[in-house]
């Protein structure tokens, strides 16, 4: 009976100890941004790449300003 109670608590503890994936997400973005920019540059030219970079910079700035 005691084992049954501890087995029920384990999923909750595992959910509470979920890893922080921010670093992984940032690395994924940094690795993928160059080929995305390069592909856009090849297909549409430099202007859309600069617009996308400006948009991403604006969104990062908005995230920094958020309380």
């Amino acid at each position: 009976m005691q084992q049954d109670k501890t087995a029920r608590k384990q999923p909750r503890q595992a959910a509470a100890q979920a890893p922080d994936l921010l670093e992984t997400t940032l690395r994924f973005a940094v690795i993928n941004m160059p080929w995305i920019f390069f592909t856009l540059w090849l297909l549409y030219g430099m202007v859309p790449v600069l617009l996308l970079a400006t948009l991403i910079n604006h969104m990062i700035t908005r995230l920094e300003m958020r309380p």
Side-chain angles (χ1 to χ4, degrees):
M1 194 86 160
Q2 183 66 16
Q3 291 176 347
D4 197 26
K5 289 181 182 179
T6 53
R8 289 182 190 159
K9 290 182 182 178
Q10 288 175 353
R12 290 182 191 153
Q13 289 174 351
Q17 297 173 355
D20 183 22
L21 298 176
L22 178 64
E23 184 179 349
T24 306
T25 304
L26 290 175
R27 284 185 184 187
F28 181 77
V30 168
I31 289 170
N32 284 307
M33 282 306 216
W35 73 262
I36 292 171
F37 282 156
F38 186 71
T39 304
L40 282 175
W41 186 14
L42 287 177
L43 293 175
Y44 303 110
M46 192 60 155
V47 174
V49 174
L50 292 175
L51 289 174
L52 179 61
T54 304
L55 176 70
I56 291 170
N57 186 30
H58 176 70
M59 296 307 290
I60 290 171
T61 304
R62 287 190 66 184
L63 284 173
E64 288 177 351
M65 291 173 35
R66 197 171 66 172

